[in-house]
Amino acid sequence: MTEKNQLYRKKIVKHLYFSNMLSCADLSDKINKSLPVTTKMLGKLIEEGWVTETGFAASTGGRRAVMYSLKPDVLYVVSVAMDQLITRIAILNMQNVQVTATEIFELPLTRNPQALVMLTEKIEEVINKSGIAKNKFAGIGIGMPGFVDALQGQNYTFLEPEQGSLTQYISSKLKLPVFIDNDSRLIALAELMFGAARGKKNAMVINVGWGVGLGMILNGELFRGHNGFAGEFSHIPLFLNNKLCSCGKSGCLETETSLLVVIEKANKGLKEGKISLLTELSVDRAEQAFQEIIRAAGKGDKFAVEILSESGYNIGRGVAILIHLLNPELVILSGRGSSAGRIWQAPIQQALNEHCIPRLALNTEIGISSLGYQAEITGAAALVMENFEKSEWKKEPAQPGAVA
């Protein structure tokens, strides 16, 4: 197969992955090749067992077009979703469905020189345990916190290798293409491709977690900025609270809104005698502590609702700045913190009412992600397929009946 044919073949696979079903005419437009050439390539992919007919397009008055989809098991993606404390690894097929249970383990990133080695070993363990042949993987996608340069494959906050790039290190150990990006941008990518921002031109995706991240969708595309560092929402200096932020500055949005702050405020209130269903929460077991607050709020616990609402109001102050600058049609609350659901919406809206020019905020909707905590897993898989046509993956297609 020529290199050019391999490229267009990858493009077809990529577009079918993101669209789920497309007609031959749709694919012709997307890969910018003539209909006869596209038909020939599509026929070859069907013959080799990669693509299948999945019915007909909706009627528009004429002959209905045949629709095509990828077979789920032609390729797989390793998806890694990291935050400062917890890492999750899953394997997804070409229908974006997990084929393994999510592997969850504690991996603190701050002041942990062994974190990169531990991460690489854990990814390899998950791949080996799956029983899927290595040549069936399109690659490994990793979402992570920090200042991530996706093009250079480097994280300037965490996981720095002794030499070379982060992606080179992991790829050399695991012999697969590796792609990385900031966790909040990948959550936004998931929302753009499969979630609440699909079909939207301008949307802001707030990742409420141990920090408060931002992914920006501008003109229908994920915006990464000049060096890939766009969206450092957590570090807008909004408060005169003299609280030290993780970035080394003080008064950042993160110091009043992160889920770690929510846990700290809950403990402080309990010590002061607040009446609540909650008992003292362990900051060392932050995941469990936050879920306890969510459960209490869901049962109508006044104190739990109050501390979440206070955090939501402060997030809203930050969102007001985004609306003034970028005039988005949609602001989506996603990531781990979106499990608080509609508890966030009222205080955020209150902050917008107080801090936004009404005309600017009038047509901006505040929405809750349907992907939730799964968004980063979905986004990390999407990152691999977003880069699929440029990757070094060159496996010849499996013949029908071939063993994985």
Short mmCIF file of all heavy atoms in Angstrom, two decimals, residues 189-226:
data_model
loop_
_atom_site.label_atom_id
_atom_site.label_comp_id
_atom_site.label_asym_id
_atom_site.label_seq_id
_atom_site.Cartn_x
_atom_site.Cartn_y
_atom_site.Cartn_z
N LEU A 189 -12.41 18.46 24.57
CA LEU A 189 -12.43 17.70 23.32
C LEU A 189 -13.54 16.65 23.35
O LEU A 189 -14.26 16.46 22.36
CB LEU A 189 -11.07 17.03 23.10
CG LEU A 189 -10.93 16.18 21.83
CD1 LEU A 189 -11.08 17.03 20.57
CD2 LEU A 189 -9.57 15.46 21.81
N ALA A 190 -13.69 15.98 24.48
CA ALA A 190 -14.77 14.98 24.63
C ALA A 190 -16.14 15.63 24.48
O ALA A 190 -17.03 15.09 23.81
CB ALA A 190 -14.66 14.28 25.99
N GLU A 191 -16.31 16.80 25.10
CA GLU A 191 -17.59 17.51 25.00
C GLU A 191 -17.86 17.96 23.57
O GLU A 191 -19.00 17.93 23.09
CB GLU A 191 -17.62 18.70 25.95
CG GLU A 191 -17.50 18.35 27.43
CD GLU A 191 -18.71 17.61 27.99
OE1 GLU A 191 -19.74 17.52 27.29
OE2 GLU A 191 -18.61 17.12 29.13
N LEU A 192 -16.81 18.38 22.86
CA LEU A 192 -16.95 18.84 21.48
C LEU A 192 -17.32 17.69 20.55
O LEU A 192 -18.19 17.84 19.67
CB LEU A 192 -15.64 19.48 21.02
CG LEU A 192 -15.56 19.91 19.55
CD1 LEU A 192 -16.59 20.98 19.21
CD2 LEU A 192 -14.15 20.40 19.22
N MET A 193 -16.68 16.57 20.72
CA MET A 193 -16.87 15.45 19.79
C MET A 193 -18.07 14.56 20.14
O MET A 193 -18.74 14.03 19.25
CB MET A 193 -15.60 14.59 19.74
CG MET A 193 -14.41 15.31 19.17
SD MET A 193 -14.73 15.87 17.46
CE MET A 193 -13.11 16.49 17.01
N PHE A 194 -18.35 14.41 21.44
CA PHE A 194 -19.36 13.43 21.84
C PHE A 194 -20.36 13.95 22.87
O PHE A 194 -21.28 13.23 23.24
CB PHE A 194 -18.68 12.19 22.44
CG PHE A 194 -17.69 11.53 21.52
CD1 PHE A 194 -16.32 11.63 21.76
CD2 PHE A 194 -18.12 10.83 20.40
CE1 PHE A 194 -15.40 11.02 20.92
CE2 PHE A 194 -17.20 10.22 19.55
CZ PHE A 194 -15.84 10.32 19.80
N GLY A 195 -20.19 15.17 23.36
CA GLY A 195 -21.00 15.63 24.47
C GLY A 195 -21.82 16.87 24.20
O GLY A 195 -22.28 17.11 23.07
N ALA A 196 -21.96 17.69 25.22
CA ALA A 196 -22.87 18.84 25.18
C ALA A 196 -22.44 19.92 24.20
O ALA A 196 -23.27 20.74 23.78
CB ALA A 196 -22.99 19.44 26.59
N ALA A 197 -21.16 19.97 23.83
CA ALA A 197 -20.68 21.02 22.91
C ALA A 197 -20.69 20.57 21.46
O ALA A 197 -20.27 21.35 20.58
CB ALA A 197 -19.27 21.46 23.31
N ARG A 198 -21.17 19.37 21.19
CA ARG A 198 -21.18 18.89 19.80
C ARG A 198 -22.07 19.80 18.94
O ARG A 198 -23.22 20.08 19.29
CB ARG A 198 -21.70 17.46 19.75
CG ARG A 198 -21.47 16.80 18.38
CD ARG A 198 -21.65 15.31 18.46
NE ARG A 198 -21.14 14.68 17.24
CZ ARG A 198 -21.00 13.38 17.07
NH1 ARG A 198 -21.33 12.56 18.06
NH2 ARG A 198 -20.54 12.88 15.95
N GLY A 199 -21.51 20.30 17.86
CA GLY A 199 -22.25 21.19 16.97
C GLY A 199 -22.23 22.64 17.40
O GLY A 199 -22.78 23.50 16.72
N LYS A 200 -21.57 22.94 18.54
CA LYS A 200 -21.49 24.32 19.02
C LYS A 200 -20.25 25.00 18.45
O LYS A 200 -19.22 24.38 18.26
CB LYS A 200 -21.43 24.36 20.55
CG LYS A 200 -22.59 23.70 21.26
CD LYS A 200 -23.90 24.43 21.00
CE LYS A 200 -25.05 23.80 21.77
NZ LYS A 200 -26.34 24.44 21.48
N LYS A 201 -20.36 26.30 18.21
CA LYS A 201 -19.24 27.07 17.68
C LYS A 201 -18.34 27.61 18.79
O LYS A 201 -17.11 27.58 18.68
CB LYS A 201 -19.76 28.24 16.83
CG LYS A 201 -20.23 27.85 15.44
CD LYS A 201 -19.05 27.45 14.58
CE LYS A 201 -19.48 27.19 13.14
NZ LYS A 201 -18.34 26.73 12.31
N ASN A 202 -18.96 28.15 19.84
CA ASN A 202 -18.18 28.78 20.91
C ASN A 202 -18.70 28.32 22.26
O ASN A 202 -19.83 28.64 22.64
CB ASN A 202 -18.27 30.30 20.79
CG ASN A 202 -17.71 30.81 19.47
OD1 ASN A 202 -16.51 30.74 19.24
ND2 ASN A 202 -18.58 31.29 18.61
N ALA A 203 -17.88 27.56 22.96
CA ALA A 203 -18.28 27.02 24.26
C ALA A 203 -17.09 26.99 25.19
O ALA A 203 -15.95 26.79 24.77
CB ALA A 203 -18.87 25.62 24.10
N MET A 204 -17.36 27.18 26.47
CA MET A 204 -16.36 27.07 27.52
C MET A 204 -16.68 25.83 28.35
O MET A 204 -17.82 25.66 28.78
CB MET A 204 -16.37 28.30 28.43
CG MET A 204 -16.16 29.64 27.74
SD MET A 204 -14.48 29.88 27.11
CE MET A 204 -14.74 29.66 25.34
N VAL A 205 -15.68 24.99 28.58
CA VAL A 205 -15.89 23.77 29.37
C VAL A 205 -15.08 23.89 30.66
O VAL A 205 -13.84 23.97 30.61
CB VAL A 205 -15.46 22.52 28.58
CG1 VAL A 205 -15.72 21.26 29.41
CG2 VAL A 205 -16.22 22.44 27.25
N ILE A 206 -15.78 23.96 31.78
CA ILE A 206 -15.13 24.11 33.08
C ILE A 206 -14.93 22.73 33.70
O ILE A 206 -15.89 21.98 33.89
CB ILE A 206 -15.99 24.96 34.05
CG1 ILE A 206 -16.44 26.27 33.40
CG2 ILE A 206 -15.23 25.22 35.35
CD1 ILE A 206 -15.36 27.24 33.06
N ASN A 207 -13.68 22.42 34.00
CA ASN A 207 -13.34 21.15 34.63
C ASN A 207 -13.19 21.38 36.13
O ASN A 207 -12.18 21.89 36.60
CB ASN A 207 -12.03 20.61 34.03
CG ASN A 207 -11.50 19.40 34.77
OD1 ASN A 207 -12.25 18.69 35.44
ND2 ASN A 207 -10.20 19.15 34.65
N VAL A 208 -14.23 21.03 36.87
CA VAL A 208 -14.22 21.24 38.32
C VAL A 208 -13.59 20.02 38.97
O VAL A 208 -14.17 18.93 38.97
CB VAL A 208 -15.64 21.48 38.86
CG1 VAL A 208 -15.58 21.83 40.35
CG2 VAL A 208 -16.33 22.59 38.08
N GLY A 209 -12.39 20.20 39.52
CA GLY A 209 -11.70 19.09 40.15
C GLY A 209 -10.84 19.58 41.30
O GLY A 209 -11.24 20.49 42.03
N TRP A 210 -9.65 18.98 41.46
CA TRP A 210 -8.74 19.42 42.53
C TRP A 210 -8.22 20.83 42.23
O TRP A 210 -7.74 21.52 43.12
CB TRP A 210 -7.62 18.42 42.72
CG TRP A 210 -8.12 17.01 42.86
CD1 TRP A 210 -7.66 15.92 42.18
CD2 TRP A 210 -9.15 16.52 43.73
NE1 TRP A 210 -8.34 14.79 42.56
CE2 TRP A 210 -9.27 15.13 43.51
CE3 TRP A 210 -9.99 17.11 44.65
CZ2 TRP A 210 -10.19 14.34 44.19
CZ3 TRP A 210 -10.91 16.33 45.33
CH2 TRP A 210 -11.00 14.96 45.10
N GLY A 211 -8.28 21.22 40.98
CA GLY A 211 -8.15 22.61 40.56
C GLY A 211 -9.43 22.94 39.81
O GLY A 211 -10.39 22.18 39.83
N VAL A 212 -9.44 24.08 39.11
CA VAL A 212 -10.60 24.42 38.27
C VAL A 212 -10.05 24.75 36.89
O VAL A 212 -9.53 25.84 36.65
CB VAL A 212 -11.41 25.60 38.83
CG1 VAL A 212 -12.63 25.86 37.96
CG2 VAL A 212 -11.85 25.32 40.26
N GLY A 213 -10.14 23.78 35.97
CA GLY A 213 -9.55 23.93 34.65
C GLY A 213 -10.54 24.46 33.63
O GLY A 213 -11.75 24.56 33.89
N LEU A 214 -10.02 24.76 32.46
CA LEU A 214 -10.85 25.30 31.38
C LEU A 214 -10.39 24.76 30.04
O LEU A 214 -9.19 24.75 29.73
CB LEU A 214 -10.74 26.84 31.38
CG LEU A 214 -11.38 27.57 30.20
CD1 LEU A 214 -12.91 27.44 30.25
CD2 LEU A 214 -10.98 29.04 30.20
N GLY A 215 -11.33 24.31 29.25
CA GLY A 215 -11.09 23.99 27.85
C GLY A 215 -11.95 24.90 27.00
O GLY A 215 -13.14 25.08 27.28
N MET A 216 -11.36 25.50 25.97
CA MET A 216 -12.07 26.49 25.16
C MET A 216 -12.33 25.97 23.76
O MET A 216 -11.41 25.50 23.08
CB MET A 216 -11.26 27.78 25.09
CG MET A 216 -11.13 28.46 26.44
SD MET A 216 -10.35 30.09 26.32
CE MET A 216 -8.65 29.60 26.13
N ILE A 217 -13.58 26.06 23.34
CA ILE A 217 -13.98 25.72 21.98
C ILE A 217 -14.33 27.02 21.28
O ILE A 217 -15.29 27.70 21.66
CB ILE A 217 -15.16 24.74 21.98
CG1 ILE A 217 -14.75 23.42 22.64
CG2 ILE A 217 -15.69 24.51 20.56
CD1 ILE A 217 -15.90 22.58 23.12
N LEU A 218 -13.53 27.39 20.30
CA LEU A 218 -13.71 28.65 19.58
C LEU A 218 -13.84 28.36 18.09
O LEU A 218 -13.02 27.61 17.53
CB LEU A 218 -12.54 29.60 19.84
CG LEU A 218 -12.30 29.98 21.31
CD1 LEU A 218 -11.06 30.85 21.44
CD2 LEU A 218 -13.51 30.69 21.89
N ASN A 219 -14.85 28.92 17.47
CA ASN A 219 -15.11 28.68 16.05
C ASN A 219 -15.19 27.20 15.71
O ASN A 219 -14.72 26.75 14.68
CB ASN A 219 -14.04 29.36 15.18
CG ASN A 219 -14.09 30.88 15.30
OD1 ASN A 219 -15.16 31.46 15.37
ND2 ASN A 219 -12.93 31.50 15.35
N GLY A 220 -15.76 26.43 16.64
CA GLY A 220 -15.98 25.00 16.40
C GLY A 220 -14.77 24.12 16.57
O GLY A 220 -14.82 22.93 16.26
N GLU A 221 -13.67 24.68 17.09
CA GLU A 221 -12.44 23.89 17.26
C GLU A 221 -11.88 24.09 18.65
O GLU A 221 -12.08 25.13 19.28
CB GLU A 221 -11.38 24.31 16.22
CG GLU A 221 -11.77 24.01 14.78
CD GLU A 221 -10.67 24.38 13.81
OE1 GLU A 221 -9.68 25.02 14.23
OE2 GLU A 221 -10.81 24.03 12.62
N LEU A 222 -11.15 23.07 19.12
CA LEU A 222 -10.48 23.17 20.41
C LEU A 222 -9.35 24.18 20.30
O LEU A 222 -8.51 24.10 19.40
CB LEU A 222 -9.93 21.80 20.82
CG LEU A 222 -9.40 21.66 22.23
CD1 LEU A 222 -10.51 21.86 23.25
CD2 LEU A 222 -8.76 20.29 22.43
N PHE A 223 -9.34 25.17 21.21
CA PHE A 223 -8.32 26.22 21.17
C PHE A 223 -7.25 25.91 22.21
O PHE A 223 -7.53 25.79 23.39
CB PHE A 223 -8.95 27.58 21.46
CG PHE A 223 -7.97 28.72 21.44
CD1 PHE A 223 -7.46 29.19 20.23
CD2 PHE A 223 -7.55 29.32 22.62
CE1 PHE A 223 -6.54 30.23 20.21
CE2 PHE A 223 -6.65 30.36 22.61
CZ PHE A 223 -6.14 30.82 21.39
N ARG A 224 -6.00 25.76 21.75
CA ARG A 224 -4.90 25.40 22.63
C ARG A 224 -3.96 26.58 22.91
O ARG A 224 -3.17 26.52 23.84
CB ARG A 224 -4.11 24.24 22.03
CG ARG A 224 -4.86 22.91 22.06
CD ARG A 224 -4.00 21.78 21.53
NE ARG A 224 -4.55 20.47 21.82
CZ ARG A 224 -5.31 19.77 20.99
NH1 ARG A 224 -5.65 20.27 19.82
NH2 ARG A 224 -5.76 18.57 21.34
N GLY A 225 -4.03 27.64 22.12
CA GLY A 225 -3.14 28.77 22.31
C GLY A 225 -1.80 28.57 21.63
O GLY A 225 -1.54 27.54 21.01
N HIS A 226 -0.92 29.56 21.75
CA HIS A 226 0.35 29.57 21.02
C HIS A 226 1.24 28.38 21.38
O HIS A 226 1.77 27.70 20.50
CB HIS A 226 1.10 30.88 21.31
CG HIS A 226 2.43 30.98 20.65
ND1 HIS A 226 2.59 30.90 19.27
CD2 HIS A 226 3.68 31.12 21.16
CE1 HIS A 226 3.88 31.00 18.97
NE2 HIS A 226 4.55 31.13 20.10
#
